[in-house]
Amino acid sequence: MKKYSQKPGEISEFSDLPFWKKADGVDLAYVGYGLLIVTLVVASYLLGMFKLLPHDPEEISLELLMAPAGTPGYLLGTDFMGRDILTRLILGIQAYFLPGLLAIAIALLFGTLLGVLAGYRGGWVDTAITYFTNLVDSFPRMVLILLVVAAFKPDIYYIMLVVGITNVPVVASLIKGKIQFLRQKSFIEAAIALGLPTKTIIWKHILWHNCKALLIIQATIGMGEAILMETSLSYLGFGVQEPTPSWGNMVQAGSNYFMQGKFWPSTAPALAILFTILGFHLLGDGLNNILEGKRNK
Amino acid sequence: MTSTPLLNIEGLRTYFYSRSKQAFIRSVDNVSLAIARGETLGVVGESGSGKSVTALSVMGLITAAPGVISGRIEFTSGGVARNLLENLDRYVQLTEEHGRIMGVAKDAAGWRKNAEHLLGRVRGKEIGMIFQNPKAALNPFTTVGKQIAEVVQLHTSHKGVGEARERAIHWLERVKIDSPRLRYDNHPFGLSGGMCQRAMIAMALSSEPSLLIADEPTTGLDATIQSKIVDLLAELKQDIGITTMLISHDISVIKRLSDRVAVMYGGTVVENGPAAEILAGDAASRHPYTAALLASIPNETHVREKTPLLAIEGEVLDTINTPAGCRFYARCNRVTDKIRQQCERCEPDLREIEPGHRVRCWLYFD
Amino acid sequence: MKLASYRPIALVLARELLITGLLLFGVSLVVFTILYLAPGDPFSLLLEGQMPTEEARAGIREAMGVPKAWYAQYLSWLGHMLRGDFGTSVRTGLPVLAETLRVGFNTLVLTLGSMLVTLLIAVPIALYAAVRGTNWLSWPLTMLAYLVSALPVFWLGYIVLYVFMHKFGLFPLAFGFASSQKLSWLYFLLPVLVLGVGSGTISEVVRYLREEMGRVMEEDYIRTARAKGASVWRHAFKEGFLIPVTEIIAAKIPFILGGAVIVEQVFNWPGMGRMAWQAAQDRDFPVIMGIAILAAVFVRCGTLLQRVVYVAVNPRASKE
């Protein structure tokens, strides 16, 4: 049973409703959850940066091995070496936060650049960029990273550089599509006809007014992917190494005790990964529906 | 009327909900129409007057919410009249305020389930429909011929593939498509707009329905093609004598093909009667809107004597803020002081002024 | 189908094959560049197929006339590769091409199987949501799809393994073999299921297919299909299902291959991913290069297939 109703009296031409009333409730819930996760991640990152932690992350207490969650003083319990899980989860954010931002910055910067070039210039520039994006798309990202790992034994920042580069094609093709769509619109044609400098048209009329939402959405999706990549690599042993905590190597280390039925030390970081990535995905999706107006017809 | 009409619509309401305005768009608001067997009813009105939505409601093709909310759509098939909206009231709850619907609660799933059951028997089989913009209305991924043969196989006794193909080719020939055997294997993108519309007509007729709904069949076509499509429809009308509901904003098309005319304004029928009376009779016996509409069409006198055209003052009624009184009141140029108060406050009924000719105007109440 | 309709497909196939060739050439150049820039000169290693000391390498290089300039090195390497000689593994001494193809097949089985699992889960959800919109059933299902897609696949693998061992009391001995012959097939099936569920593609398939099918359902020709009493699904199938599904699958192959690296690790599946992991640990360059190129071939094949389906289905495509 779906209910629709309207207020009595005159209805104004364009509604002055705030955006949250116009948006779908589901999308608002997505965005709300996503923003909560973002806040938590940023707050935890700052806590970790200023060393405001409940425990020393590497403090080993042999009398408290794999304590369950809720143990006094150890809110989320301890791992197989008696280290506080909560502390290590908070600190684990250091492993991907800045590298992830780097990946996003690269993807957005170069993606926008190439997208604008391909969409606005067209011709051989477009062909070359299409070739480049197809080339990057041909590599499974993980295999490319393993190749880079084998060649350089790099740290996580260099790996995120690669992740950023592999995300360039997605952003570039979206921007290109948007520009090709916008160029047919009369306001861009009018701007060109008025003799506005190309720079102004691209910056102000195309990127600022029409691609802002798209870039924000890509940034949130990019963060989710960066987290996935960092945790996967740390799990595989190529990212952040013990004893420095990362959610990935925490799952890996904890998994050695899985067969003894000790799930928690591995599951806690796994859940952290789950809810964080989910948050970024839903944030991207909700924003997409609200800002790009996918559901309002 | 002597016999039961083939299609009888009574009090049909189809609303859409605008999320951004948080209000109902009263696309079809209390529409009543009847089409007798063998006649062609022309439905005319400005865009946004609810003509197409009425037709789509009859076919159960409304997808936007809440869609059809109340009314009767009686369709006679095999001598039995059946309400296509039978037993559907229980899926809708209406909240009214001063006779105006302010809230709708609709169980779309239940409605759909029951409506499809009844509609499934008539759609395509008993009622064929053609649309405007024929290029988009044909499936671009399949050949034109196969799309017609599909209808033949679904709704006629010609079930075999080869048989259906021959029937489809027969209908392509019937709608005067050159070299129908070749065209059978063409995809819609390879055909012109006029050819696509001919194919659409062939498709709609190929199930030999008892009612054809033509929804703006000439809109979106070139002027020369338009007249050819109208010629074709006129010819088919004479040959097959199929009952037709013709929807158009083009009065010349309506004039050419219709026996009876219904004029729609702001989501409801304001005048309904024999085409000859409404389109050619003297202005005094018509609804002010119809009169204004006809006066705004250029004719020979205008061209010869260079007299200005009479545009209808004001703007098309927006179907969100439907007034409590007559819908045309704000633009009407024939309001007299005697009836002004009535016009402003209450909506008139559709009243019979001559046999078979009804008008919704206070001028004719005495 | 008449013969004429095969022509556009052949044309597209030829064009795509040409593009694939060009791209694979680019892939080899990228791989070469990365390794050329790597410290420790992996290229002389590659060409010689063994691990000599610094002096020995210089000596051997001179003695064998290994070219020094980068382009000469590249051309020599490319020449070998085109003749089917990808070098030998530094670790095992086995020829890379044969080894990669052997494990590549296992990965292919894993990847295709998991795609099937993904589609079996995602397609019904997407189609239901496309037609019915957000309601009490489609919303929880969509949420579930999002939830499993955010699950770290390595953790999911452990859970499944644990259940396998405790519930069935079985210990995996080696790939495809468990301590009970009877349930070995289950151990074979688990990685496929885990990758299918956990590769993170379910939510993407749901989202894309729902959007595309939803869009097609609004098309005029679908309204026509309903008006003539024909099956809406039949008319929407090509544009609303076949094209988007092949598109999203082709686009997600690199992603699924990445997930395969992890799943193969967890389940000891002797595939390309596991081999790549091992090679990255050992800096076994010939192997990892071979895998990178084979993986790129996989990806391009997916794209090729997608293009062929698109042209075969869409009569307008050949006119574009």
Side-chain angles (χ1 to χ4, degrees), chain B residues 19 21 56 66 112 121 129 147 170 181 186 213 253 258 297 307 314 365:
Chain B
R19 184 199 283 289
K21 290 181 184 170
L56 292 172
R112 192 184 312 112
R121 294 193 215 158
M129 186 159 182
Q147 294 183 53
H170 160 81
R181 268 171 209 284
N186 271 127
I213 300 180
V253 173
S258 319
I297 301 165
T307 47
F365 282 69

Side-chain angles (χ1 to χ4, degrees), chain A residues 11-271:
Chain A
I11 282 107
S12 57
E13 183 69 14
F14 292 105
S15 98
D16 321 313
L17 287 173
F19 75 90
W20 59 84
K21 280 220 171 150
K22 280 191 248 178
D24 197 296
V26 174
D27 294 328
L28 288 177
Y30 286 177
V31 172
Y33 174 72
L35 288 179
L36 179 74
I37 290 293
V38 171
T39 315
L40 274 178
V41 165
V42 173
S44 306
Y45 172 75
L46 292 175
L47 284 180
M49 200 169 79
F50 295 115
K51 300 275 179 283
L52 296 167
L53 300 164
H55 288 271
D56 179 348
E58 287 166 34
E59 172 196 89
I60 296 167
S61 51
L62 292 172
E63 62 277 16
L64 260 176
L65 295 186
M66 292 195 259
T71 308
Y74 297 90
L75 191 62
L76 291 180
T78 59
D79 69 359
F80 57 96
M81 281 165 86
R83 297 176 295 194
D84 182 41
I85 289 180
L86 179 62
T87 307
R88 291 177 70 75
L89 281 182
I90 293 174
L91 218 54
I93 288 174
Q94 307 283 325
Y96 65 72
F97 192 77
L98 287 183
L101 289 183
L102 175 74
I104 291 171
I106 287 172
L108 293 191
L109 200 67
F110 289 98
T112 308
L113 191 69
L114 293 187
V116 167
L117 277 177
Y120 216 82
R121 274 282 162 78
W124 69 269
V125 181
D126 187 17
T127 313
I129 289 169
T130 310
Y131 180 81
F132 165 75
T133 55
N134 278 334
L135 184 62
V136 174
D137 276 341
S138 297
F139 285 103
R141 186 183 294 165
M142 188 62 105
V143 173
L144 188 63
I145 287 171
L146 288 181
L147 186 73
V148 172
V149 164
F152 302 106
K153 289 268 170 226
D155 70 7
I156 190 74
Y157 283 94
Y158 286 96
I159 292 176
M160 283 299 163
L161 202 85
V162 178
V163 172
I165 291 170
T166 54
N167 266 339
V168 166
V170 180
V171 180
S173 71
L174 283 173
I175 294 273
K176 178 183 146 187
K178 195 96 185 182
I179 288 179
Q180 284 175 341
F181 169 73
L182 289 173
R183 284 195 72 170
Q184 303 165 347
K185 292 267 176 151
S186 43
F187 73 91
I188 297 292
E189 277 177 358
I192 295 170
L194 280 172
L196 284 187
T198 313
K199 222 193 265 171
T200 317
I201 296 174
I202 291 176
W203 277 112
K204 194 172 159 204
H205 296 278
I206 291 181
L207 288 181
W208 180 247
H209 288 311
N210 287 292
C211 294
K212 219 175 8 181
L214 188 152
L215 292 175
I216 293 171
I217 291 155
Q218 282 307 306
T220 55
I221 294 172
M223 196 61 185
E225 285 183 351
I227 297 170
L228 187 69
M229 217 58 217
E230 187 278 324
T231 52
S232 300
L233 283 171
S234 296
Y235 162 81
L236 288 171
F238 295 120
V240 177
Q241 306 287 337
E242 277 272 343
T244 310
S246 144
W247 294 352
N249 70 24
M250 285 170 77
V251 172
Q252 201 278 331
S255 71
N256 293 330
Y257 301 87
F258 235 86
M259 296 309 156
Q260 299 167 15
K262 309 271 190 193
F263 297 110
W264 185 245
S266 177
T267 303
L271 290 179

Side-chain angles (χ1 to χ4, degrees), chain C residues 285-306:
Chain C
F285 293 118
V287 170
I288 198 147
M289 288 172 70
I291 288 174
I293 286 169
L294 190 65
V297 171
F298 270 13
V299 173
R300 294 323 309 176
C301 282
T303 312
L304 200 65
L305 196 71
Q306 182 255 319

Side-chain angles (χ1 to χ4, degrees), chain C residues 43-58:
Chain C
F43 254 88
S44 37
L45 269 184
L46 201 86
L47 291 171
E48 288 145 29
Q50 46 193 316
M51 179 107 68
T53 62
E54 193 71 41
E55 299 82 42
R57 191 167 49 205

